[in-house]
Amino acid sequence: MILGDLGAEVIKVERPGVGDDTRAWGPPFLGSESVYFLSINRNKKVSIKMLIGSCVVWKLQEMGLGFDQLGKVNPQLIYCSISGYGQTGPQAQSPGYDSIASAVSGMMHITGPEDGEPVRPGVAMTDLATGLYAHGAIMAALLQLQKTGRGGHIDCNLLSSQVSCLSHIAANYLNAGKEAKRWGTAHESIVPYQGFRTKDGHIVVAAGNDKQFVQVCQVLELIELTQDPNYKSNKLRVKNRKKLLQTLSQRFLQEKTADWLRRFEGSSVPVGPINSIREVFSEPQVKHNTLIQEMKHPTAGRISVPGPAVRFSSFPPSGPTPPPLIGQHTVQVLRHTLSYDDNLIRTLLESGAVVQNEAF
Amino acid sequence: MFAVFGGFQSRTGALRPAVFKKLLQRDQPARGPSRGRWVSVSNSAGETVRPLEGIKVLDLTRVLAGPFATMILGDLGAEVIKVERPGVGDDTRAWGPPFVGSESVYFLSINRNKKSLAVDLKNPRGAQVVRELAGMCDVLVENYLPGKLQEMGLGFDQLGEVNPQLIYCSISGYGQTGPQAQSPGYDSIASAVSGMMHITGPEDGEPVRPGVAMTDLATGLYAHGAIMAALLQLQKTGRGGHIDCNLLSSQVSCLSHIASNYLNAGKEAKRWGTAHESIVPYQGFRTKDGHIVVAAGNDKQFVQVCQVLELIELTQDPNYKSNKLRVKNRKKLLQTLSQRFQQEKTADWLRRFEGSSVPVGPINSIREVFSEPQVKHNALIQEMKHPTAGRIAVPGPAVRFSSFPPSGPTPPPLIGQHTVQVLRHTLSYDDGLISTLLESGAVVQNEAF
């Protein structure tokens, strides 16, 4: 989808009938279209020839569509494979699920309440990180193609993406044998740096230094805390965190989130509300960043999806094309991209090798 | 190929002739043999060219999102010049324990393949050094509050005038413009404001944040791709441009279907622990000695789960016949399954599930992650020798390319380790000028080198 946002022509190959599994993932649906599918499939055409493979390893090879096979025909082809664990190795044949990869890669172990059970990130960040790695890798390969005249095979997988993203958490273990634990919203080495319940929700406060701690105490009208020798430095606040956080927690409960945010204005303390999704899309900055992207879908009507995350001064965000119906562009691709003549197209349609969506 | 040559010719033509000459004549720094960036497919040592070989990145970022992005660019072959203020340097150099020798593990984890140039930007001569480097680099990445670099004469408009091919990537908390543009970017806050915390946590519990700063990391990933998109565009148009990456937009975009559910169907999201709203059973379960995650996405897999758990009667229960029914009657079913899972150890369950088609996996601690055979196979433990810390290990690159092998990384630099080297080889300053700058404190060289 991101490649499409950047101007690439994306031909999405789907098996006839079911198509991409997510077409069936709902409710909610808009008309016949699942919102899940709509959210991540703008700017694509749908037809029937694999270019980016996310099948279990070797499946495409069996169909004559593996990297070695296609690379022979087209040495400039950049063949990006996305899998659960990698193209080779003991787990290469295990299908990739974000839930499982999140667990195996350590992400779940480090996410959750301090004295509670592990949880997974509320959206599939392992899947998404892998997609983000892949979009960059594809462009790196395009840059390399221009130097070398050759494409190549790219191996992206959920396990590697998430383990790489463990960054300092992993390095703590690899270099100091330090195991990670769960911290809720809190920070292991900075206090106060976490979420607090308010009268009507939550606020997150990130007081990273002594000056900001003093400001927190001022806003909360708990000036005595600034005099307490137990809380004079971050190191001491970390040491005596339990008592301090209890005091702060009780105070935060007494007012509403919006009131606290107002009182923190003008201070240098970074604060923010824990927004529900509705609240996210009411944020003025979210609107300013045009993160609500609207478009007209041929059958679902008007739809909205989260917009592209990155802005470039060198080109304006252009109007997206809506997520396609299954097989919407089959004939178009055969005719215009492959230059097949009408007879060949008819033969393929009649054999069922390809399917065109009736509505188009 | 003509388009490629054309692009590069207009690129070098924009440089001042004296500098251009020097570029051709200069020695390359220690890493690779001399080579023009547009000439050979592989260098004289016969090593395969990496995608960003010949690209210079001027890195003014600190902490996580920016350094993570520039680290990946370095992995792909770019030369990354990391600009740090003398003394403290990148904030994360002090973030510990743990430390290895004098180096914080946090800093080591995300700063391989970079050179450190210690420059005082508040000193006009220091700012001038950076301005000249911007004239010679392909990419500049920064994460200052919008407007701060402008004050130092290092804003996009100013540097773009001198170097119209410059790709200037800004990373911020909320964006370059707008009502919150002046709010500093913290992963914790952005994670809260963008909805990520609201949807993460136990089903009947409080919101939590992802255990590693995924908002920061996603932003770094968006940025690394955007920079390469801009490099591709440069070759078509001959012009660079300003890229706006920010934590808020990155995380909101990543909300994908969660966001769309609200935008199209008014459906608010809630927390689900490890579970899935619309598939049962698809979650973690406590075992005798840990946790296992089971992802039984269809009826066939559900039957297999019942077989492995030796709870065959569940397959006959009309309340659990289809996924829709299992979702409807989830509480009772999950209670039954939970009790059963607790009776055996994780490893035993994993063994019993082998041969079935049910995706399962352990909830690994970090130690367990790095004992996984597949993790080792994917070369995700990258070891290297650091000049003062000795042998260090960091998580390796996530992506493999058939077109070039992962090369040995250079270790994260000490602060100011490459100051003189960059001034001499990249800027072609003579020794007199270098001495003057060092004496004035505008730049600092690490004593150990």
Coordinates of all heavy atoms in Angstrom, one line a residue, chain B residues 13 22 25 32 58 60 86 121 125 129 135 173 180 187 189 236 256 413 437:
Chain B
G13 N 27.4 18.1 -11.0 CA 27.6 19.5 -11.6 C 27.2 20.6 -10.7 O 27.7 21.7 -10.8
K22 N 38.3 17.7 -5.7 CA 38.8 17.1 -4.5 C 38.1 15.7 -4.3 O 38.7 14.8 -3.8 CB 38.6 18.0 -3.3 CG 39.5 19.2 -3.3 CD 40.2 19.3 -1.9 CE 41.4 20.3 -2.0 NZ 40.9 21.7 -1.9
Q25 N 39.8 13.2 -6.1 CA 41.2 12.9 -5.8 C 41.3 12.3 -4.4 O 42.3 11.6 -4.1 CB 42.0 14.2 -5.8 CG 42.3 14.7 -7.2 CD 42.8 16.1 -7.2 OE1 42.9 16.7 -6.1 NE2 43.0 16.7 -8.3
G32 N 36.6 1.1 2.7 CA 36.6 0.4 1.4 C 37.6 1.0 0.5 O 38.0 2.2 0.7
L58 N 24.1 12.6 6.5 CA 24.5 13.5 7.6 C 23.4 13.3 8.7 O 22.3 13.6 8.5 CB 24.6 14.9 7.2 CG 25.1 15.9 8.1 CD1 26.5 15.6 8.6 CD2 25.1 17.3 7.5
L60 N 21.9 14.0 12.2 CA 21.8 14.8 13.3 C 20.7 14.3 14.3 O 20.2 15.1 15.2 CB 21.4 16.3 12.9 CG 22.5 17.1 12.3 CD1 22.6 16.9 10.8 CD2 22.3 18.6 12.6
P86 N 29.6 18.0 21.6 CA 30.8 17.6 22.5 C 30.4 17.3 23.9 O 29.5 18.0 24.4 CB 31.8 18.7 22.3 CG 31.4 19.4 21.1 CD 29.9 19.3 21.0
L121 N 27.2 23.0 17.6 CA 26.4 23.7 16.7 C 26.1 25.1 17.1 O 25.8 26.0 16.2 CB 25.0 23.0 16.5 CG 25.1 21.6 15.7 CD1 23.7 21.0 15.6 CD2 25.8 21.7 14.4
R125 N 31.3 28.5 14.0 CA 32.2 27.8 13.1 C 31.8 26.3 13.1 O 32.0 25.6 12.0 CB 33.7 27.9 13.7 CG 34.1 29.3 13.8 CD 35.5 29.5 14.1 NE 36.3 29.3 12.9 CZ 37.6 29.6 12.8 NH1 38.2 30.1 13.8 NH2 38.3 29.4 11.7
V129 N 30.7 24.1 9.7 CA 31.2 22.7 9.3 C 30.1 21.9 8.9 O 30.1 21.2 7.8 CB 32.0 22.1 10.5 CG1 32.2 20.6 10.3 CG2 33.3 22.8 10.8
G135 N 26.3 20.3 2.2 CA 26.5 20.6 0.8 C 27.1 19.4 0.1 O 27.0 19.3 -1.1
G173 N 7.8 14.7 16.8 CA 6.8 14.1 17.6 C 5.4 14.1 16.9 O 4.7 13.1 16.8
Q180 N 0.3 21.0 17.3 CA 1.3 20.4 18.3 C 2.7 20.3 17.8 O 3.5 19.6 18.4 CB 0.8 19.0 18.6 CG -0.3 18.9 19.7 CD -0.7 17.5 20.0 OE1 -1.3 16.9 19.2 NE2 -0.3 17.0 21.2
D187 N 8.0 8.7 22.8 CA 7.3 7.5 22.4 C 6.1 7.2 23.3 O 5.0 7.0 22.9 CB 8.2 6.3 22.4 CG 7.4 5.0 22.1 OD1 6.9 4.4 23.1 OD2 7.4 4.6 20.9
I189 N 4.3 9.3 25.2 CA 3.2 10.2 25.0 C 2.5 10.0 23.6 O 1.3 9.9 23.5 CB 3.7 11.7 25.1 CG1 4.5 11.9 26.3 CG2 2.5 12.6 25.0 CD1 3.7 12.1 27.6
K236 N 15.0 10.8 -10.9 CA 14.1 11.1 -12.0 C 14.1 12.7 -12.2 O 14.0 13.2 -13.3 CB 12.7 10.7 -11.6 CG 12.4 9.2 -11.6 CD 10.9 9.0 -11.7 CE 10.4 7.9 -10.8 NZ 10.8 6.6 -11.1
S256 N -4.3 1.0 11.2 CA -5.0 0.3 10.1 C -6.4 -0.1 10.3 O -7.3 0.8 10.5 CB -4.1 -0.9 9.6 OG -3.7 -1.7 10.7
P413 N 30.4 4.2 17.3 CA 31.6 5.0 17.5 C 31.7 5.5 18.9 O 30.6 5.8 19.5 CB 31.5 6.1 16.5 CG 30.0 6.3 16.4 CD 29.4 4.9 16.5
L437 N 40.0 24.8 14.2 CA 38.7 24.4 14.7 C 38.7 23.6 16.0 O 37.9 23.8 16.9 CB 38.0 23.5 13.6 CG 37.5 24.3 12.4 CD1 37.1 23.3 11.3 CD2 36.3 25.2 12.7

